[in-house]
Amino acid sequence: MTQRTVYIDNNYVAEQDAKVSIFDRGFLFADGVYEVCSVLGGKLVDFEGHMRRLRRSAAELELPLPWADEALLEIHRELVRRNDLAEGLVYLQLTRGNPGDRDFDFPSADLTPTLVLFTQAKPLLESRSGREGIRVATQPDWRWARRDIKTVQLLYPSMAKMAAKAAGADDAWMVEAGKVTEGASNNAWMLTWEGVLVTRELSSAILPGITRAAVMAIAEALSLDIEERAFSVEEAKQARECFVTSATSFVTPVIAVDGVPIGDGVPGEVALRLRAAYIEESRRRAV
Ligand code: PMP
C-alpha cells in the first residue's frame, strides 16, 4: 500500500509519523469510541448519521468531543482528497487522551481527547461477499452490556469472528439467550416465508446501525413489512432469506447459518434488491 496521509491532533501527517502516547486511555483502557463512514465516488455516505451516533457514544462515556460536525466533515473530506480516495472508508477514533500515567480514575475536565482519522481504500461496490453472500457461524455474545455505544473494545467481536472462521464460516452472528443479537460488525436480518423483514429492536443489546436505519427506510418505501424484534437461531435457519447490514458491507446476503443453507443456499432476491436500492440511494445522497 502506498503511504497514507492520516489525521492526528489537528495535523495531517504521513502514517508512520502519527504517534499516540503509551499512556493514552484508548490504548490502556479501550477508553474511546469510533465511527466508520464509507466513501463512494470520493464522497461520504450517511455522514450526518455517523456523526450523530459519534456524539451520542461520546456523551454516554462523558467523553469530550470539541469538534463541530462541519469541522469533522472538513477533516474527512481533506483526508479523502489527500489520499485520492475514490472507494473505501474513513475511520475515526476519539479517545479520552493521555492523563500522564495509568490510573482507573480519570481527570474529568482538563484532559485533551485524542482524535485520529485515517482512510482505507477498499472495493465496496463489487465485492465477492456482496455478490455471492457469506456464511455465518453463531457464537455466544460475550460482549459487555452497553453495545449501543460504539466503543473500541473490539476484542470479543474479533475473537468471535476468528472462531467463526475456524468453524468454516466467513463471519459470526452473536447469540444471547437463544436469540441473535447482531453480527460481529453488522446488524442481522431475516425474511420470513410470509415476506416479513425481521431485525432486532434497538436496545443496549445492539449497536444502532446507521445502515440498518437507512435500509429500514428503503424497505418501508418499497412497502415491505418490517418487524423489529429478536429472532432465534432456529428461526433464522428456517428463514427464506438472511442478510447483514453495515456501512462497509451495505446489504450482504447470508447464505448459511451454522452450515444450514438459507432458502436455496444462494443470495436472496429481497437482500439483493435492498442492496441495489441502498447503493443507489447512498450514491445520490453522499456528500
Ligand atoms: N453492529 C456492530 C456490532 C457493528 O460493529 C457495526 C458496524 N460498525 C454495525 C452493527 C453496523 O453499523 P453501521 O451500519 O452503522 O455500520
Side-chain angles (χ1 to χ4, degrees):
M1 193 190 282
T2 53
Q3 197 185 84
R4 283 169 291 189
T5 298
V6 305
Y7 176 92
I8 181 168
D9 296 338
N10 299 314
N11 289 308
Y12 295 93
V13 300
E15 59 182 63
Q16 78 274 14
D17 296 329
K19 303 262 167 33
V20 178
S21 164
I22 63 160
F23 297 119
D24 194 283
R25 286 185 56 95
F27 177 63
L28 294 177
F29 290 95
D31 187 355
V33 296
Y34 75 108
E35 276 299 332
V36 175
C37 272
S38 65
V39 173
L40 289 179
K43 290 183 170 181
L44 299 151
V45 174
D46 271 331
F47 179 79
E48 222 175 275
H50 286 284
M51 291 308 106
R52 204 176 311 126
R53 185 173 63 190
L54 174 68
R55 234 162 259 288
R56 179 189 179 270
S57 293
E60 289 296 310
L61 300 181
E62 296 173 38
L63 198 55
L65 178 51
W67 285 267
D69 275 11
E70 301 78 61
L72 293 172
L73 177 59
E74 188 41 41
I75 299 169
H76 276 77
R77 284 181 163 162
E78 187 61 23
L79 273 188
V80 167
R81 231 179 346 252
R82 288 186 187 228
N83 291 286
D84 203 14
L85 182 68
E87 197 168 321
L89 61 93
V90 180
Y91 176 91
L92 174 158
Q93 178 166 329
L94 174 79
T95 75
R96 204 177 304 274
N98 167 20
D101 205 348
R102 180 178 183 275
D103 196 343
F104 279 72
D105 298 15
F106 53 83
S108 46
D110 52 349
L111 210 53
T112 308
T114 305
L115 180 67
V116 165
L117 287 91
F118 58 83
T119 54
Q120 287 184 336
K122 203 174 167 182
L124 304 177
L125 294 170
E126 283 307 319
S127 70
R128 194 170 152 232
S129 52
R131 213 168 37 242
E132 297 175 14
I134 57 168
R135 295 158 198 279
V136 301
T138 59
Q139 295 292 323
D141 198 335
W142 285 341
R143 296 173 299 162
W144 79 328
R146 289 300 308 276
R147 304 158 193 156
D148 55 315
I149 308 172
K150 199 166 168 64
T151 76
V152 296
Q153 303 177 76
L154 295 175
L155 176 59
Y156 186 70
S158 179
M159 297 305 288
K161 184 159 182 158
M162 293 307 285
K165 289 207 159 170
D170 306 296
D171 204 353
W173 268 15
M174 291 186 279
V175 178
E176 194 167 59
K179 302 279 172 65
V180 175
T181 51
E182 59 189 329
S185 59
N186 46 53
N187 289 110
W189 299 65
M190 56 165 268
L191 178 75
T192 70
W193 286 94
E194 291 75 41
V196 181
L197 276 174
V198 184
T199 193
R200 196 174 175 116
E201 76 279 7
L202 296 184
S203 72
S204 51
I206 65 167
L207 188 78
I210 304 305
T211 318
R212 174 191 180 279
V215 168
M216 201 166 277
I218 289 169
E220 272 165 19
L222 293 172
S223 302
L224 295 171
D225 290 327
I226 306 166
E227 268 177 32
E228 286 183 81
R229 62 167 176 85
F231 56 86
S232 69
V233 178
E234 275 322 301
E235 220 181 335
K237 284 178 181 168
Q238 287 160 28
R240 186 156 99 190
E241 297 185 18
C242 289
F243 60 90
V244 294
T245 56
S246 76
T248 52
S249 72
F250 306 149
V251 176
T252 294
V254 168
I255 56 169
V257 175
D258 286 340
V260 176
I262 304 304
D264 302 324
V266 294
E269 182 202 308
V270 172
L272 292 178
R273 186 144 50 100
L274 288 171
R275 181 181 174 86
Y278 174 77
I279 289 171
E280 195 192 310
E281 170 113 348
S282 297
R283 284 174 129 159
R284 201 174 51 239
R285 295 184 28 225
V287 296

